[in-house]
Amino acid sequence: MNLNPVDLLPQKAPMAFITAIESVDYDEQKMTTRIDIQNTDLLFQKNINGVPGAVALEYMAQSIACYIGAQDIHLTGSTKAVAGFIMGSRDLHVMIPVFNVGESYFVHVQSLFCDANMASFECNIYDSKNNLVANANLNAFRPDDINQFMGEIHE
């Protein structure tokens, strides 16, 4: 199955940062995505010729969203991207200050726990030379009904 990140992410351009789905393994509950850094990216900063390293957390979060969206398609046939929220991270380490323009980075996400609403993922980002540049464990929450959930927050 050919998966397109545009179909899996609730974010749309210019906030969708995943370039491609490199691989997915439903049995092992893992996915690898690719991010190609360009000078046209929304978060590109000319003075550092790239994207700040702190954006690693968002790259991980969007890769998790891609995995969960792909899993939904695989298990239920549902093709509607559903929004979720990062609830926290453990041991977030970003080893580079900048994601360099013209470079590709690979985000590996591995599900540690996942049910209908809660999930925990181990995330690692590698550069094109297979050097680890960021890692973390992220916890995510996806409400059953996002509109109802958001309405309850604003009441």
Side-chain angles (χ1 to χ4, degrees):
M1 173 186 293
N2 187 15
L3 297 169
N4 186 338
V6 171
D7 299 329
L8 302 175
L9 289 169
Q11 297 94 329
K12 300 304 173 209
M15 282 302 297
F17 302 127
I18 306 298
T19 304
I21 307 298
E22 293 290 305
S23 66
V24 61
D25 184 329
Y26 299 109
D27 293 331
E28 295 292 322
Q29 298 182 325
K30 62 184 180 179
M31 176 180 274
T32 300
T33 63
R34 187 182 80 239
I35 298 162
D36 299 331
I37 307 299
Q38 301 175 33
N39 63 2
T40 55
D41 290 351
L42 177 67
L43 301 175
F44 172 79
Q45 293 182 5
K46 188 175 182 177
N47 63 321
I48 60 173
N49 198 36
V51 173
V55 178
L57 183 67
E58 181 64 19
Y59 292 159
M60 293 175 189
Q62 288 193 19
S63 296
I64 289 170
C66 284
Y67 173 78
I68 291 174
Q71 185 183 47
D72 284 350
I73 292 169
H74 177 71
L75 295 175
T76 69
S78 171
T79 58
K80 182 181 179 210
V82 178
F85 304 93
I86 294 299
M87 300 304 291
S89 67
R90 293 185 314 276
D91 298 322
L92 173 63
H93 300 280
V94 181
M95 295 80 153
I96 58 172
V98 176
F99 290 97
N100 294 310
V101 72
E103 296 289 326
S104 293
Y105 296 88
F106 300 87
V107 185
H108 299 256
V109 296
Q110 169 82 52
S111 176
L112 302 174
F113 169 80
C114 191
D115 69 12
N117 300 103
M118 297 297 297
S120 183
F121 283 84
E122 178 182 339
C123 305
N124 296 292
I125 302 178
Y126 295 89
D127 65 15
S128 59
K129 295 180 178 88
N130 207 32
N131 297 307
L132 181 66
V133 300
N135 65 328
N137 285 353
L138 298 183
N139 298 319
F141 170 70
R142 179 172 68 167
D144 290 324
D145 183 329
I146 188 71
N147 294 322
Q148 178 184 358
F149 178 77
M150 294 306 288
E152 289 171 0
I153 288 176
H154 294 291
E155 290 178 354

